[in-house]
Amino acid sequence: MHRSFEIIGKVMTVAAGIGYALLALGPSLSLFVSVISRKPFLILTLLSSTLVWLVSLIVLSGLWRPFLPLKANVWWPYTLLVLSSVCFQEALRFLFWKLYMRLEDVLDSFADRISRPRLFLTDKLQIALAGGLGHGVAHAVFFCLSLLTPAFAIIALAFVTIHTFSMVIAFEGYAKGNKVDQVIVPVIHLSAGMLTLVNFASEGCVIGVPLLYLVASLTLLHCGKMVWQRLIESRNQSGPTLR
Amino acid sequence: MDRTQRPRSVLDSLGEELIGILTPVSICMFTVVLLVCLLNSDPSSSASFSSIATAAYSETDSDSPWDKLLGAFLNSLVFVAAITVATFLLVLLFYLRCVRFLKLYMGFSAFVVLANLGGEISVLLIDRFRLPVDSVTFSILLFNFSVVGVLAVFMSRFSILITQGYLVVIGVLVAYFFTMLPEWTTWVLLVALALYDLAAVLLPVGPLRLLVEMAISRDEDIPALVYEARPVIRDDSRLVQRRVWRDRRSSQNDDDLENNEVVNVVVRAEEEEQRSEISVPLIERSRPESSETFLEGIGLGSSGAIKLGLGDFIFYSVLVGRAAMYDLMTVYACYLAIIAGLGVTLMLLSVYQKALPALPVSIMLGVVFYFLARLFLEVFVVQCSSNLVMF
């Protein structure tokens, strides 16, 4: 009798664990299956961007190791932590974009060599999306998956959204030299990081988490608007010539 | 713009071969992690695993770190020495053209792995989940499973999907048992094997290099347990056909009429308990320039398949399985490190176009990332997330 209760308890925990994991990673899983798994190159992009995020996290933890563990219930060192981490990751994002530009050149010259069309706009957007998804999945796995609780899962979902779509905005911003897009991505990242600091106050997460979701939906809207504009632009450009 | 009329972009199928080899490696690692998490959650039932790898020293919890390190070194030395002897024996047998004997022995060892190790793990799983299975049914199922596995691995003209599945299963079984080695021994052993692989393949006196040269000069396949990614044949009409039957080349067959293939083969023999499995680190078949290859520019022939030796599967999974015994974060870090190492090795392969050891880069990166994650990352992330601070 005792054994069966134990087994039921274990099963329920497993189900709950899977539930929380899907809460954080469900949308990214559906994105993965529908968009990314169809093109092998996007899977490789996802893996490499996950690796980049992991390396950045390791470097940051190496830098901050002498100062840890921080005193409990003191919140201002965390401000410094978030600030430094966001700055470092944004710098890395720019380097990632530079690497991507070089890759784009290689792919374009390869396409020319085998007489296939160059990269379409949707291809570039998909690569950016895969890169962002890689960052988001890495964030969710490291910050959420080892300590599976509902709070982590919900916050991780917001961050996954933010990371995924801000990468698309960032790539387009850097490519077109659009200052608004270039600035808005670090601002979003920083504000999201700072918003989690609100969780320090007691009952702070009641304010913090909805605001975080507000930021995430803003990212989504901005990205959607930008992509829509680009697609319409490119269709107008190439529309008459395709017939 | 009509979607169906748009010409296929270059992005649609680039990197397919790489994914073809990354998927089984990932599946193998994932299964080993799953088994470790399922079967090791009960600390009271720890079976001590004695093999050649623990012959010199068996670790106990009460020893000092220096003793453990020394013991681990001794163990790895014994193991690597055993493997070297076995590989040289393999070279000798291959030189004396006892290929048939080698094939029979490999079939025997595959059967023993599937029946013995597979049976043990199944019994552990049945015990854990309280599955109602009687012993007669179990033995019949196990016997059938093993026999089909042996046939799959050694018959040509066998469905390639089943062959690949069985190879991954063999890798999972052996890797799970290797994760039961004591901790320090595992890490030192992995590093020692990576160094051995490097030496055996690249040094002119290394046994694997001798084997490769002999195989090339005789234009023969080495009998080995090798995972071969499904080769993709493309033609002009953009139809992609996947080869369904595995084509085995032997010395009696003539070459493919379409192309001449150069097979560079590296073999490594491993000894664990009384079995020996021959596994091949990395092979590349390169096609001549005149054939129609879609991915010629990138350097991996599109109709040539990438081959990865089963030993590499096993030791990658051992590393990840051992990381799983600590925390999920280390698992993820080691997984990414191994995949990155594999990517680097494949890039080097396309540059150097000769047999390369697949273990060193991945294992070194994996070990480095494991210790970095364990020492630095965990404290940092736990500190942040326990206060719900994330970025």
Side-chain angles (χ1 to χ4, degrees), chain B residues 285-330:
Chain B
R285 281 203 212 127
S286 56
R287 305 188 94 217
E289 295 294 308
S290 56
S291 55
E292 296 192 334
T293 55
F294 184 67
L295 295 176
E296 219 172 271
I298 297 290
L300 301 168
S302 74
S303 280
I306 301 180
K307 290 187 183 180
L308 193 61
L310 212 58
D312 301 319
F313 276 77
I314 291 173
F315 286 107
Y316 294 162
S317 309
V318 169
L319 199 147
V320 175
R322 188 36 88 163
M325 290 185 181
Y326 188 69
D327 192 23
L328 270 181
M329 233 185 291
T330 44

Side-chain angles (χ1 to χ4, degrees), chain B residues 13-139:
Chain B
S13 42
L14 203 60
E16 199 162 0
E17 280 78 20
L18 203 56
I19 296 297
I21 203 79
L22 281 182
T23 314
V25 173
S26 310
I27 291 177
C28 188
M29 290 200 258
F30 177 73
T31 317
V32 172
V33 168
L34 201 65
L35 278 177
V36 166
C37 288
L38 284 177
L39 295 177
N40 281 28
S41 54
D42 190 6
S44 60
S45 67
S46 50
S48 67
F49 175 62
S50 63
S51 79
I52 258 183
T54 50
Y57 162 78
S58 35
E59 188 173 309
T60 54
D61 280 331
S62 53
D63 293 341
S64 70
W66 181 245
D67 277 341
K68 286 188 190 175
L69 197 64
L70 218 57
F73 266 123
L74 284 174
N75 274 341
S76 328
L77 220 62
V78 169
F79 194 78
V80 171
I83 287 188
T84 320
V85 165
T87 318
F88 272 114
L89 198 66
L90 175 69
V91 172
L92 187 67
L93 285 175
F94 195 68
Y95 180 69
L96 297 174
R97 295 179 189 271
C98 309
V99 178
R100 196 173 169 77
F101 170 74
L102 285 174
K103 282 196 196 239
L104 284 175
Y105 189 66
M106 300 237 304
F108 169 71
S109 67
F111 180 77
V112 170
V113 166
L114 283 172
N116 193 2
L117 297 187
E120 277 193 52
I121 290 191
S122 311
V123 166
L124 286 174
L125 283 173
I126 288 175
D127 185 42
R128 170 88 169 68
F129 288 115
R130 302 292 214 214
L131 297 174
V133 175
D134 61 294
S135 52
V136 177
T137 316
F138 179 72
S139 34

Side-chain angles (χ1 to χ4, degrees), chain B residues 12 28 42 56 102 115 132 155 166 180 185 188 201 208 239-240 280 298 336 338 341 376:
Chain B
D12 278 348
C28 188
D42 190 6
L102 285 174
M155 254 173 56
Y166 266 105
M180 301 210 313
T185 310
V188 178
V201 175
L208 299 181
L239 272 180
V240 171
V280 181
I298 297 290
L336 285 176
I338 290 180
F376 294 149

Side-chain angles (χ1 to χ4, degrees), chain A residues 117-140:
Chain A
R118 295 184 149 217
L119 287 178
F120 297 114
L121 176 68
T122 46
D123 288 335
K124 300 184 196 178
L125 289 175
Q126 278 176 346
I127 295 182
L129 187 70
L133 196 65
H135 274 227
V137 166
H139 177 276

Side-chain angles (χ1 to χ4, degrees), chain A residues 101-169:
Chain A
M101 285 313 285
R102 213 176 298 178
L103 182 72
E104 202 181 302
D105 289 334
V106 166
L107 284 177
D108 275 339
S109 63
F110 173 68
D112 284 339
R113 203 148 32 114
I114 54 171
S115 56
R116 294 228 177 241
R118 295 184 149 217
L119 287 178
F120 297 114
L121 176 68
T122 46
D123 288 335
K124 300 184 196 178
L125 289 175
Q126 278 176 346
I127 295 182
L129 187 70
L133 196 65
H135 274 227
V137 166
H139 177 276
V141 168
F142 280 100
F143 278 108
C144 163
L145 234 56
S146 335
L147 311 133
L148 270 179
T149 61
F152 293 132
I154 294 179
I155 297 184
L157 177 62
F159 266 101
V160 164
T161 321
I162 292 179
H163 277 300
T164 312
F165 295 107
S166 55
M167 184 70 87
V168 182
I169 301 177

Side-chain angles (χ1 to χ4, degrees), chain A residues 39-41 50 61 65 69-70 78 81 85 107 116 120 123 142 147 152 159 189 196 199 242-243, chain B residues 1 6 9 11-12 14 19 238 294 329 332 369 375-377 380-381 383-385 387-388 390-391:
Chain A
K39 305 196 176 181
F41 189 75
T50 315
S61 58
R65 183 70 176 92
L70 297 171
Y78 287 98
L81 201 107
S85 315
L107 284 177
R116 294 228 177 241
F120 297 114
D123 288 335
F142 280 100
L147 311 133
F152 293 132
F159 266 101
H189 198 182
T196 57
N199 293 329
L242 206 60
R243 296 290 173 263
Chain B
M1 231 180 347
R6 208 220 296 207
S9 150
L11 207 64
D12 278 348
L14 203 60
I19 296 297
R238 297 195 197 122
F294 184 67
M329 233 185 291
Y332 200 60
F369 269 65
L375 295 172
F376 294 149
L377 201 60
F380 186 73
V381 171
Q383 180 82 157
C384 282
S385 47
N387 290 307
L388 287 183
M390 300 187 195
F391 49 87

Side-chain angles (χ1 to χ4, degrees), chain B residues 262-278:
Chain B
V262 173
V263 179
N264 298 324
V265 162
V266 171
V267 168
R268 177 164 42 89
E270 299 158 52
E271 182 101 42
E272 36 89 41
E273 298 196 27
Q274 298 89 13
R275 300 171 284 276
S276 79
E277 277 176 350
I278 319 291

